[in-house]
Amino acid sequence: MIDVTEQKQRVAVIGGGITGLAAAFYLQKEAKEKKLPLEIVLIESSHRLGGKIQTVRKENFVIERGPNSFIDNNNSMAKLVKDLGIEDQLIRSEAGQTYITVNEKLYPVPAGSILGIPTKLSSFLASDIVSWSGKLRATCDLWFPRSRIQEDQPLGKFIRRRFGKETVENIIEPLLLGVSAGDIEQLSLEATFPELIEMEKEYRSLMTGMKKALSEISHDDSKGIEEQRSFQTFINGLETLIEALEGQLIDTTILKSVKVESIAKTAHQVTLSLNNKSSITADAVILATPHLISQKMFAKQGLLQGLQDIPLTTVASVSMAFPIEAMNESFTGTGLTVARNSDFSITSCSWAHRKWPSFVPAGYALLEVYVGRSGDEAIVELSDSEIEKIVLQDLNRVIPLKGSPLFTVVSRWKEAMPQYKVGHAQRVELAKQELNEHFPTMKLVGSSYEGTSLPNCVDQARSAVDELLIKLFE
Ligand SMILES: Cc1cc2nc3c(=O)[nH]c(=O)nc-3n(C[C@H](O)[C@H](O)[C@H](O)COP(=O)(O)OP(=O)(O)OC[C@H]3O[C@@H](n4cnc5c(N)ncnc54)[C@H](O)[C@@H]3O)c2cc1C
Protein backbone atom coordinates (compact mmCIF):
# COMPACT_ATOMS: atom_id res chain seq x y z
CA MET A 1 0.00 0.00 0.00
CA ILE A 2 1.44 3.39 -1.00
CA ASP A 3 0.71 6.01 1.67
CA VAL A 4 -0.25 9.58 1.04
CA THR A 5 2.61 11.35 2.81
CA GLU A 6 1.73 14.99 2.13
CA GLN A 7 -1.50 16.87 1.86
CA LYS A 8 -1.26 16.54 -1.86
CA GLN A 9 -4.09 15.40 -4.06
CA ARG A 10 -3.07 12.21 -5.79
CA VAL A 11 -4.34 11.67 -9.31
CA ALA A 12 -3.90 8.23 -10.81
CA VAL A 13 -3.87 7.95 -14.59
CA ILE A 14 -4.63 4.39 -15.68
CA GLY A 15 -3.31 3.45 -19.13
CA GLY A 16 -0.16 4.76 -20.79
CA GLY A 17 -1.38 5.11 -24.37
CA ILE A 18 -1.51 8.55 -25.98
CA THR A 19 -4.63 9.47 -23.98
CA GLY A 20 -3.19 8.59 -20.58
CA LEU A 21 0.19 10.12 -21.38
CA ALA A 22 -1.35 13.37 -22.60
CA ALA A 23 -3.50 13.47 -19.45
CA ALA A 24 -0.49 12.96 -17.18
CA PHE A 25 1.46 15.58 -19.12
CA TYR A 26 -1.25 18.22 -18.79
CA LEU A 27 -1.80 17.41 -15.12
CA GLN A 28 1.90 17.90 -14.51
CA LYS A 29 1.99 21.11 -16.57
CA GLU A 30 -1.00 22.61 -14.75
CA ALA A 31 0.38 21.61 -11.35
CA LYS A 32 3.65 23.33 -12.13
CA GLU A 33 2.20 26.47 -13.67
CA LYS A 34 -0.52 26.96 -11.05
CA LYS A 35 1.50 25.58 -8.14
CA LEU A 36 -1.16 22.98 -7.38
CA PRO A 37 -0.39 20.37 -4.70
CA LEU A 38 -0.72 17.39 -7.05
CA GLU A 39 0.91 14.00 -7.06
CA ILE A 40 0.55 12.13 -10.35
CA VAL A 41 0.90 8.38 -10.78
CA LEU A 42 0.60 6.76 -14.20
CA ILE A 43 -0.07 3.03 -14.23
CA GLU A 44 0.57 1.02 -17.39
CA SER A 45 0.10 -2.74 -17.67
CA SER A 46 2.64 -3.22 -20.45
CA HIS A 47 6.43 -3.00 -20.14
CA ARG A 48 6.31 0.00 -22.50
CA LEU A 49 4.33 3.21 -22.92
CA GLY A 50 2.48 4.25 -26.06
CA GLY A 51 -0.34 1.70 -26.29
CA LYS A 52 -1.35 1.41 -29.94
CA ILE A 53 1.41 3.76 -31.08
CA GLN A 54 4.25 1.38 -31.92
CA THR A 55 7.03 2.43 -34.25
CA VAL A 56 9.55 -0.15 -35.40
CA ARG A 57 12.89 1.31 -36.52
CA LYS A 58 14.49 -1.47 -38.50
CA GLU A 59 17.32 -1.44 -41.05
CA ASN A 60 16.87 2.34 -41.53
CA PHE A 61 13.14 1.92 -42.20
CA VAL A 62 10.53 3.57 -40.00
CA ILE A 63 7.57 1.21 -39.75
CA GLU A 64 4.34 1.88 -37.91
CA ARG A 65 2.63 -1.19 -36.52
CA GLY A 66 -0.45 0.82 -35.52
CA PRO A 67 -1.40 4.42 -36.31
CA ASN A 68 0.88 6.02 -38.87
CA SER A 69 -0.16 9.68 -38.97
CA PHE A 70 -2.87 12.12 -37.97
CA ILE A 71 -4.92 15.00 -39.32
CA ASP A 72 -5.00 17.65 -36.64
CA ASN A 73 -8.66 18.62 -37.00
CA ASN A 74 -8.96 20.19 -33.59
CA ASN A 75 -5.44 21.63 -33.15
CA SER A 76 -4.92 19.58 -29.99
CA MET A 77 -1.92 17.81 -31.47
CA ALA A 78 -0.31 21.07 -32.60
CA LYS A 79 -0.62 22.38 -29.03
CA LEU A 80 0.79 19.22 -27.48
CA VAL A 81 3.68 19.10 -29.94
CA LYS A 82 4.45 22.76 -29.18
CA ASP A 83 4.24 22.19 -25.42
CA LEU A 84 6.67 19.30 -25.81
CA GLY A 85 9.01 21.38 -27.97
CA ILE A 86 9.17 18.83 -30.79
CA GLU A 87 7.69 20.93 -33.59
CA ASP A 88 10.95 20.67 -35.53
CA GLN A 89 10.41 16.91 -35.85
CA LEU A 90 6.94 17.14 -37.40
CA ILE A 91 6.63 16.19 -41.06
CA ARG A 92 3.72 16.41 -43.50
CA SER A 93 2.86 13.81 -46.07
CA GLU A 94 3.88 14.47 -49.65
CA ALA A 95 0.85 15.20 -51.81
CA GLY A 96 -0.19 12.39 -54.12
CA GLN A 97 -3.02 10.68 -55.92
CA THR A 98 -5.22 8.21 -54.07
CA TYR A 99 -6.94 5.37 -55.91
CA ILE A 100 -9.95 3.20 -55.16
CA THR A 101 -10.53 -0.31 -56.45
CA VAL A 102 -14.15 -0.69 -57.44
CA ASN A 103 -15.29 -4.13 -58.61
CA GLU A 104 -11.59 -5.08 -58.86
CA LYS A 105 -10.75 -2.12 -61.15
CA LEU A 106 -8.51 0.77 -60.19
CA TYR A 107 -9.81 4.37 -60.39
CA PRO A 108 -8.20 7.64 -59.31
CA VAL A 109 -10.22 9.52 -56.71
CA PRO A 110 -11.83 12.48 -58.51
CA ALA A 111 -10.05 15.74 -57.64
CA GLY A 112 -11.81 17.73 -54.94
CA SER A 113 -13.32 14.72 -53.12
CA ILE A 114 -13.27 15.54 -49.42
CA LEU A 115 -14.14 12.54 -47.23
CA GLY A 116 -15.40 11.12 -50.52
CA ILE A 117 -17.87 13.95 -51.03
CA PRO A 118 -17.38 15.64 -54.40
CA THR A 119 -16.67 19.36 -54.20
CA LYS A 120 -15.59 19.74 -57.84
CA LEU A 121 -18.57 18.65 -59.86
CA SER A 122 -16.64 18.78 -63.15
CA SER A 123 -14.01 16.25 -62.02
CA PHE A 124 -16.66 14.02 -60.43
CA LEU A 125 -18.69 14.01 -63.65
CA ALA A 126 -15.56 13.35 -65.74
CA SER A 127 -14.56 10.33 -63.62
CA ASP A 128 -15.46 6.74 -64.56
CA ILE A 129 -15.65 5.61 -60.95
CA VAL A 130 -19.45 5.93 -60.97
CA SER A 131 -21.83 5.24 -63.88
CA TRP A 132 -23.80 8.10 -65.49
CA SER A 133 -26.96 7.06 -63.70
CA GLY A 134 -24.98 6.97 -60.44
CA LYS A 135 -23.62 10.48 -61.12
CA LEU A 136 -27.08 11.79 -61.88
CA ARG A 137 -28.35 10.30 -58.63
CA ALA A 138 -25.44 11.83 -56.69
CA THR A 139 -26.26 15.31 -57.97
CA CYS A 140 -29.66 14.97 -56.28
CA ASP A 141 -27.72 16.04 -53.19
CA LEU A 142 -27.83 19.58 -54.60
CA TRP A 143 -31.61 19.86 -54.32
CA PHE A 144 -32.82 17.04 -52.03
CA PRO A 145 -34.57 18.36 -48.89
CA ARG A 146 -33.01 17.98 -45.46
CA SER A 147 -33.45 14.73 -43.57
CA ARG A 148 -36.42 14.85 -41.18
CA ILE A 149 -34.88 12.28 -38.86
CA GLN A 150 -34.04 13.98 -35.57
CA GLU A 151 -32.53 11.07 -33.70
CA ASP A 152 -29.21 9.37 -34.47
CA GLN A 153 -29.18 7.23 -37.62
CA PRO A 154 -26.73 4.98 -39.52
CA LEU A 155 -24.09 6.93 -41.42
CA GLY A 156 -24.77 4.81 -44.53
CA LYS A 157 -28.48 5.56 -44.54
CA PHE A 158 -27.89 9.31 -44.20
CA ILE A 159 -25.37 9.69 -47.02
CA ARG A 160 -27.07 7.16 -49.32
CA ARG A 161 -30.24 9.23 -49.16
CA ARG A 162 -28.31 12.22 -50.44
CA PHE A 163 -25.94 10.60 -52.98
CA GLY A 164 -27.43 7.21 -53.90
CA LYS A 165 -26.04 3.70 -53.47
CA GLU A 166 -23.35 3.69 -56.16
CA THR A 167 -21.48 6.87 -55.17
CA VAL A 168 -21.58 5.84 -51.53
CA GLU A 169 -20.26 2.33 -52.25
CA ASN A 170 -17.63 3.36 -54.78
CA ILE A 171 -16.24 6.59 -53.35
CA ILE A 172 -17.69 7.88 -50.13
CA GLU A 173 -17.57 4.73 -47.98
CA PRO A 174 -13.96 3.78 -48.87
CA LEU A 175 -12.67 7.30 -48.25
CA LEU A 176 -14.82 8.13 -45.25
CA LEU A 177 -13.99 5.00 -43.32
CA GLY A 178 -10.35 4.49 -44.38
CA VAL A 179 -8.64 1.97 -42.13
CA SER A 180 -11.20 2.40 -39.35
CA ALA A 181 -12.67 -0.84 -40.69
CA GLY A 182 -16.24 -0.06 -39.67
CA ASP A 183 -19.62 -0.98 -41.09
CA ILE A 184 -21.25 2.11 -42.55
CA GLU A 185 -24.70 0.56 -42.03
CA GLN A 186 -24.14 0.37 -38.29
CA LEU A 187 -21.97 3.38 -37.54
CA SER A 188 -23.56 6.34 -35.81
CA LEU A 189 -23.82 9.47 -37.92
CA GLU A 190 -23.87 11.62 -34.79
CA ALA A 191 -20.77 10.06 -33.22
CA THR A 192 -18.62 9.63 -36.33
CA PHE A 193 -19.31 12.60 -38.61
CA PRO A 194 -21.45 15.13 -36.71
CA GLU A 195 -20.17 17.82 -39.08
CA LEU A 196 -22.28 16.27 -41.86
CA ILE A 197 -25.45 16.84 -39.80
CA GLU A 198 -24.51 20.48 -39.32
CA MET A 199 -23.70 20.87 -43.01
CA GLU A 200 -27.05 19.47 -44.05
CA LYS A 201 -28.83 21.73 -41.55
CA GLU A 202 -27.06 24.81 -42.81
CA TYR A 203 -26.64 24.22 -46.55
CA ARG A 204 -29.00 21.29 -47.23
CA SER A 205 -26.52 19.95 -49.82
CA LEU A 206 -23.38 18.26 -48.46
CA MET A 207 -21.52 19.12 -51.67
CA THR A 208 -22.24 22.81 -51.10
CA GLY A 209 -21.48 22.53 -47.39
CA MET A 210 -18.18 20.78 -47.96
CA LYS A 211 -17.18 23.35 -50.58
CA LYS A 212 -18.04 26.14 -48.16
CA ALA A 213 -16.08 24.47 -45.36
CA LEU A 214 -13.09 24.19 -47.68
CA SER A 215 -13.23 27.84 -48.65
CA GLU A 216 -13.47 28.82 -44.98
CA ILE A 217 -10.38 26.77 -44.20
CA SER A 218 -8.50 28.39 -47.07
CA HIS A 219 -9.47 31.84 -45.76
CA ASP A 220 -8.02 31.08 -42.35
CA ASP A 221 -4.82 33.08 -42.61
CA SER A 222 -3.09 31.36 -39.72
CA LYS A 223 -2.62 28.14 -41.70
CA GLY A 224 -2.65 27.16 -45.34
CA ILE A 225 -5.27 24.73 -46.56
CA GLU A 226 -2.65 22.03 -47.14
CA GLU A 227 -1.40 22.48 -43.61
CA GLN A 228 -4.86 22.00 -42.16
CA ARG A 229 -5.87 18.98 -44.18
CA SER A 230 -2.58 17.12 -44.54
CA PHE A 231 -1.48 14.02 -42.68
CA GLN A 232 1.33 14.56 -40.22
CA THR A 233 3.78 12.46 -38.28
CA PHE A 234 7.36 12.80 -37.02
CA ILE A 235 10.59 12.29 -38.89
CA ASN A 236 11.33 9.17 -36.80
CA GLY A 237 7.74 8.01 -36.56
CA LEU A 238 4.87 8.52 -34.12
CA GLU A 239 6.73 6.99 -31.22
CA THR A 240 8.69 10.27 -31.10
CA LEU A 241 5.62 11.68 -29.38
CA ILE A 242 5.61 8.91 -26.79
CA GLU A 243 9.35 9.28 -26.15
CA ALA A 244 8.96 13.04 -25.68
CA LEU A 245 6.03 12.58 -23.30
CA GLU A 246 7.82 9.94 -21.25
CA GLY A 247 10.98 12.06 -21.16
CA GLN A 248 9.09 15.07 -19.83
CA LEU A 249 6.98 13.31 -17.21
CA ILE A 250 9.69 13.93 -14.64
CA ASP A 251 7.32 14.83 -11.82
CA THR A 252 5.07 11.85 -12.51
CA THR A 253 5.57 8.42 -10.99
CA ILE A 254 5.34 5.95 -13.87
CA LEU A 255 4.59 2.34 -13.01
CA LYS A 256 5.11 -0.03 -15.95
CA SER A 257 4.13 -3.70 -16.08
CA VAL A 258 1.54 -2.97 -13.39
CA LYS A 259 -2.07 -3.75 -14.12
CA VAL A 260 -5.07 -2.21 -12.40
CA GLU A 261 -7.49 -5.05 -11.75
CA SER A 262 -10.31 -3.39 -9.88
CA ILE A 263 -11.44 -0.06 -8.50
CA ALA A 264 -13.32 0.52 -5.25
CA LYS A 265 -14.45 3.47 -3.17
CA THR A 266 -12.92 3.89 0.28
CA ALA A 267 -14.05 6.81 2.48
CA HIS A 268 -13.18 9.93 0.44
CA GLN A 269 -10.73 8.17 -1.82
CA VAL A 270 -10.55 5.53 -4.50
CA THR A 271 -8.52 2.34 -4.13
CA LEU A 272 -6.97 0.70 -7.16
CA SER A 273 -6.14 -2.99 -6.71
CA LEU A 274 -3.11 -4.02 -8.71
CA ASN A 275 -2.02 -7.36 -10.15
CA ASN A 276 1.10 -7.33 -7.96
CA LYS A 277 -1.17 -7.81 -4.92
CA SER A 278 -0.68 -4.23 -3.76
CA SER A 279 -2.99 -1.25 -4.06
CA ILE A 280 -2.88 2.49 -4.57
CA THR A 281 -5.23 5.08 -3.16
CA ALA A 282 -6.02 8.20 -5.13
CA ASP A 283 -8.17 11.30 -4.82
CA ALA A 284 -8.98 11.32 -8.49
CA VAL A 285 -8.57 8.99 -11.46
CA ILE A 286 -8.27 9.40 -15.21
CA LEU A 287 -9.26 6.07 -16.68
CA ALA A 288 -7.63 5.80 -20.12
CA THR A 289 -7.84 2.08 -20.83
CA PRO A 290 -9.94 0.51 -23.62
CA HIS A 291 -13.61 0.43 -22.60
CA LEU A 292 -14.03 -3.30 -21.97
CA ILE A 293 -11.00 -3.31 -19.69
CA SER A 294 -12.32 -0.25 -17.85
CA GLN A 295 -15.72 -1.87 -17.46
CA LYS A 296 -14.18 -5.02 -15.92
CA MET A 297 -12.50 -2.90 -13.23
CA PHE A 298 -16.00 -2.25 -11.85
CA ALA A 299 -17.17 -5.87 -12.06
CA LYS A 300 -17.97 -5.96 -8.32
CA GLN A 301 -20.14 -2.85 -8.48
CA GLY A 302 -21.68 -3.91 -11.80
CA LEU A 303 -21.03 -0.46 -13.25
CA LEU A 304 -20.58 0.56 -16.90
CA GLN A 305 -22.36 -2.52 -18.29
CA GLY A 306 -23.60 -0.39 -21.19
CA LEU A 307 -20.04 -0.13 -22.52
CA GLN A 308 -20.25 -3.79 -23.55
CA ASP A 309 -22.42 -2.61 -26.43
CA ILE A 310 -19.48 -0.85 -28.08
CA PRO A 311 -18.14 -3.48 -30.50
CA LEU A 312 -14.50 -3.81 -31.50
CA THR A 313 -13.11 -4.68 -34.91
CA THR A 314 -10.00 -6.71 -35.67
CA VAL A 315 -7.49 -5.70 -38.35
CA ALA A 316 -3.85 -6.37 -39.22
CA SER A 317 -1.27 -4.04 -40.70
CA VAL A 318 1.25 -5.53 -43.09
CA SER A 319 4.38 -3.45 -43.81
CA MET A 320 6.48 -4.72 -46.68
CA ALA A 321 9.95 -3.44 -47.65
CA PHE A 322 11.07 -3.82 -51.28
CA PRO A 323 13.96 -2.72 -53.45
CA ILE A 324 12.65 0.29 -55.40
CA GLU A 325 13.01 -1.67 -58.67
CA ALA A 326 10.16 -3.94 -57.53
CA MET A 327 7.71 -1.04 -57.82
CA ASN A 328 5.63 -0.58 -60.91
CA GLU A 329 6.78 2.73 -62.47
CA SER A 330 3.50 3.21 -64.31
CA PHE A 331 1.67 3.54 -60.97
CA THR A 332 2.44 6.90 -59.40
CA GLY A 333 -0.18 6.94 -56.64
CA THR A 334 0.44 7.21 -52.90
CA GLY A 335 -2.62 5.41 -51.61
CA LEU A 336 -5.25 2.84 -52.45
CA THR A 337 -8.48 2.00 -50.67
CA VAL A 338 -10.70 -0.91 -51.55
CA ALA A 339 -14.46 -0.58 -51.99
CA ARG A 340 -16.42 -3.42 -50.39
CA ASN A 341 -17.70 -4.48 -53.82
CA SER A 342 -14.15 -5.58 -54.74
CA ASP A 343 -13.35 -9.18 -53.95
CA PHE A 344 -10.11 -8.33 -52.15
CA SER A 345 -8.75 -9.17 -48.71
CA ILE A 346 -6.70 -5.99 -48.46
CA THR A 347 -8.65 -2.91 -47.42
CA SER A 348 -6.01 -0.25 -48.11
CA CYS A 349 -2.41 0.26 -49.15
CA SER A 350 -0.06 3.23 -48.73
CA TRP A 351 3.08 3.81 -50.74
CA ALA A 352 4.90 4.99 -47.61
CA HIS A 353 8.18 5.76 -49.42
CA ARG A 354 6.29 8.37 -51.47
CA LYS A 355 4.24 9.78 -48.60
CA TRP A 356 7.08 9.79 -46.07
CA PRO A 357 10.41 9.66 -47.96
CA SER A 358 12.38 9.94 -44.70
CA PHE A 359 10.94 6.58 -43.53
CA VAL A 360 12.82 4.61 -46.13
CA PRO A 361 16.53 4.38 -47.06
CA ALA A 362 17.46 5.46 -50.61
CA GLY A 363 16.79 2.79 -53.21
CA TYR A 364 13.98 1.08 -51.26
CA ALA A 365 10.21 1.15 -51.11
CA LEU A 366 7.77 0.54 -48.26
CA LEU A 367 4.15 -0.55 -48.67
CA GLU A 368 1.79 -0.35 -45.69
CA VAL A 369 -1.23 -2.56 -46.23
CA TYR A 370 -4.28 -3.25 -44.07
CA VAL A 371 -6.40 -6.40 -43.99
CA GLY A 372 -9.59 -7.12 -42.05
CA ARG A 373 -12.70 -5.06 -41.46
CA SER A 374 -16.04 -5.36 -39.79
CA GLY A 375 -17.67 -8.60 -40.99
CA ASP A 376 -14.45 -9.77 -42.69
CA GLU A 377 -11.89 -10.36 -39.98
CA ALA A 378 -10.94 -14.05 -40.33
CA ILE A 379 -7.82 -13.29 -42.39
CA VAL A 380 -6.15 -11.82 -39.30
CA GLU A 381 -6.06 -15.33 -37.77
CA LEU A 382 -3.83 -16.66 -40.57
CA SER A 383 -0.06 -17.03 -40.20
CA ASP A 384 2.25 -14.17 -41.21
CA SER A 385 3.34 -15.95 -44.38
CA GLU A 386 -0.26 -16.73 -45.38
CA ILE A 387 -1.27 -13.10 -44.84
CA GLU A 388 1.75 -11.91 -46.84
CA LYS A 389 0.86 -14.27 -49.70
CA ILE A 390 -2.75 -13.02 -49.85
CA VAL A 391 -1.65 -9.38 -49.73
CA LEU A 392 0.79 -9.90 -52.60
CA GLN A 393 -1.85 -11.73 -54.65
CA ASP A 394 -4.30 -8.85 -54.18
CA LEU A 395 -1.73 -6.17 -55.01
CA ASN A 396 -0.56 -8.06 -58.08
CA ARG A 397 -4.13 -8.11 -59.39
CA VAL A 398 -4.23 -4.31 -59.58
CA ILE A 399 -0.65 -3.02 -59.52
CA PRO A 400 1.74 -5.85 -60.43
CA LEU A 401 4.94 -5.82 -58.38
CA LYS A 402 8.27 -6.83 -59.89
CA GLY A 403 9.76 -8.70 -56.97
CA SER A 404 9.22 -10.04 -53.47
CA PRO A 405 9.47 -8.17 -50.18
CA LEU A 406 12.86 -8.03 -48.47
CA PHE A 407 11.05 -8.30 -45.17
CA THR A 408 7.49 -8.06 -43.90
CA VAL A 409 6.18 -6.91 -40.53
CA VAL A 410 2.68 -8.19 -39.71
CA SER A 411 0.91 -6.60 -36.73
CA ARG A 412 -2.39 -8.02 -35.54
CA TRP A 413 -4.82 -5.70 -33.83
CA LYS A 414 -7.41 -7.96 -32.31
CA GLU A 415 -10.57 -6.24 -31.15
CA ALA A 416 -8.69 -2.97 -31.17
CA MET A 417 -10.89 -0.62 -33.21
CA PRO A 418 -13.98 0.59 -31.29
CA GLN A 419 -17.00 0.98 -33.54
CA TYR A 420 -19.31 3.86 -32.73
CA LYS A 421 -22.67 2.25 -33.49
CA VAL A 422 -25.93 4.18 -33.71
CA GLY A 423 -26.71 5.53 -30.22
CA HIS A 424 -23.01 5.70 -29.28
CA ALA A 425 -23.05 9.26 -27.94
CA GLN A 426 -25.97 8.44 -25.66
CA ARG A 427 -24.33 5.20 -24.50
CA VAL A 428 -21.17 7.11 -23.57
CA GLU A 429 -23.11 9.89 -21.89
CA LEU A 430 -24.97 7.35 -19.72
CA ALA A 431 -21.73 5.60 -18.78
CA LYS A 432 -20.13 8.90 -17.79
CA GLN A 433 -23.16 9.91 -15.73
CA GLU A 434 -23.18 6.53 -13.99
CA LEU A 435 -19.50 6.83 -13.17
CA ASN A 436 -19.91 10.38 -11.97
CA GLU A 437 -22.64 9.33 -9.52
CA HIS A 438 -20.41 6.69 -7.92
CA PHE A 439 -16.98 8.25 -8.48
CA PRO A 440 -17.32 12.03 -8.91
CA THR A 441 -13.58 12.53 -9.33
CA MET A 442 -13.07 9.94 -12.04
CA LYS A 443 -12.92 10.57 -15.80
CA LEU A 444 -13.45 8.10 -18.62
CA VAL A 445 -11.31 8.99 -21.65
CA GLY A 446 -9.81 7.45 -24.75
CA SER A 447 -10.57 6.15 -28.18
CA SER A 448 -13.69 4.25 -27.09
CA TYR A 449 -15.68 7.38 -26.35
CA GLU A 450 -15.36 10.71 -28.16
CA GLY A 451 -13.30 10.13 -31.27
CA THR A 452 -10.73 7.51 -32.16
CA SER A 453 -8.15 9.69 -33.90
CA LEU A 454 -4.98 10.65 -32.05
CA PRO A 455 -5.97 14.37 -31.90
CA ASN A 456 -9.37 13.32 -30.48
CA CYS A 457 -7.62 11.27 -27.79
CA VAL A 458 -5.39 14.22 -26.85
CA ASP A 459 -8.39 16.53 -26.80
CA GLN A 460 -10.30 14.22 -24.44
CA ALA A 461 -7.28 14.03 -22.14
CA ARG A 462 -6.95 17.82 -22.05
CA SER A 463 -10.66 18.34 -21.28
CA ALA A 464 -10.64 15.66 -18.57
CA VAL A 465 -7.67 17.33 -16.87
CA ASP A 466 -9.36 20.76 -16.93
CA GLU A 467 -12.63 19.38 -15.53
CA LEU A 468 -10.90 17.33 -12.84
CA LEU A 469 -8.73 20.18 -11.61
CA ILE A 470 -11.81 22.38 -11.25
CA LYS A 471 -13.42 19.65 -9.13
CA LEU A 472 -10.32 19.19 -6.99
CA PHE A 473 -9.27 22.79 -6.45
CA GLU A 474 -12.19 25.16 -6.99
C1 LIG B 1 -4.21 -0.48 -36.38
C2 LIG B 1 -4.63 0.91 -36.00
C3 LIG B 1 -4.35 1.96 -36.83
C4 LIG B 1 -4.72 3.26 -36.48
N1 LIG B 1 -4.39 4.30 -37.29
C5 LIG B 1 -4.61 5.56 -36.89
C6 LIG B 1 -4.08 6.66 -37.62
O1 LIG B 1 -3.37 6.49 -38.62
N2 LIG B 1 -4.34 7.92 -37.17
C7 LIG B 1 -5.06 8.15 -36.03
O2 LIG B 1 -5.27 9.32 -35.67
N3 LIG B 1 -5.55 7.12 -35.28
C8 LIG B 1 -5.32 5.84 -35.68
N4 LIG B 1 -5.76 4.79 -34.91
C9 LIG B 1 -6.48 5.07 -33.66
C10 LIG B 1 -5.49 5.44 -32.54
O3 LIG B 1 -4.29 4.75 -32.70
C11 LIG B 1 -6.08 5.07 -31.19
O4 LIG B 1 -7.38 5.58 -31.08
C12 LIG B 1 -5.24 5.61 -30.04
O5 LIG B 1 -3.89 5.25 -30.19
C13 LIG B 1 -5.80 5.10 -28.74
O6 LIG B 1 -5.04 5.60 -27.67
P1 LIG B 1 -5.49 5.33 -26.16
O7 LIG B 1 -4.44 5.89 -25.30
O8 LIG B 1 -6.88 5.81 -25.96
O9 LIG B 1 -5.56 3.74 -26.04
P2 LIG B 1 -4.39 2.67 -26.12
O10 LIG B 1 -3.35 3.10 -27.06
O11 LIG B 1 -5.06 1.37 -26.33
O12 LIG B 1 -3.75 2.72 -24.67
C14 LIG B 1 -4.35 2.10 -23.56
C15 LIG B 1 -3.24 1.68 -22.62
O13 LIG B 1 -3.82 1.09 -21.47
C16 LIG B 1 -3.00 0.01 -21.06
N5 LIG B 1 -3.80 -0.88 -20.21
C17 LIG B 1 -4.72 -1.79 -20.60
N6 LIG B 1 -5.24 -2.40 -19.52
C18 LIG B 1 -4.66 -1.86 -18.43
C19 LIG B 1 -4.80 -2.06 -17.04
N7 LIG B 1 -5.66 -2.96 -16.55
N8 LIG B 1 -4.04 -1.33 -16.19
C20 LIG B 1 -3.16 -0.41 -16.67
N9 LIG B 1 -2.98 -0.18 -17.98
C21 LIG B 1 -3.73 -0.88 -18.86
C22 LIG B 1 -2.58 -0.61 -22.39
O14 LIG B 1 -1.45 -1.43 -22.24
C23 LIG B 1 -2.32 0.62 -23.22
O15 LIG B 1 -0.99 1.06 -23.15
C24 LIG B 1 -5.42 3.48 -35.26
C25 LIG B 1 -5.72 2.40 -34.41
C26 LIG B 1 -5.32 1.13 -34.77
C27 LIG B 1 -5.61 -0.03 -33.84
Side-chain angles (χ1 to χ4, degrees), residues 13-21 43-46 48-53 65-71 77 179 231 238 258-261 288-290 293-294 297 313 315-317 370 411 413 416-418 445-448 451-457:
V13 178
I14 310 178
I18 183 64
T19 314
L21 284 168
I43 308 160
E44 165 56 48
S45 60
S46 156
R48 63 173 286 280
L49 298 176
K52 296 189 174 79
I53 296 181
R65 285 185 176 277
N68 57 33
S69 55
F70 56 88
I71 295 183
M77 206 52 117
V179 296
F231 288 95
L238 280 175
V258 176
K259 187 173 169 184
V260 175
E261 290 189 326
T289 44
I293 295 175
S294 302
M297 292 177 193
T313 305
V315 300
S317 66
Y370 269 89
S411 311
W413 292 98
M417 301 269 208
V445 285
S447 62
S448 303
T452 58
S453 75
L454 299 171
N456 284 147
C457 290

Side-chain angles (χ1 to χ4, degrees), residues 17-27 42 80 245 457-458 461-462 465:
I18 183 64
T19 314
L21 284 168
F25 176 76
Y26 281 119
L27 281 168
L42 183 128
L80 179 62
L245 281 161
C457 290
V458 172
R462 176 78 246 198
V465 166

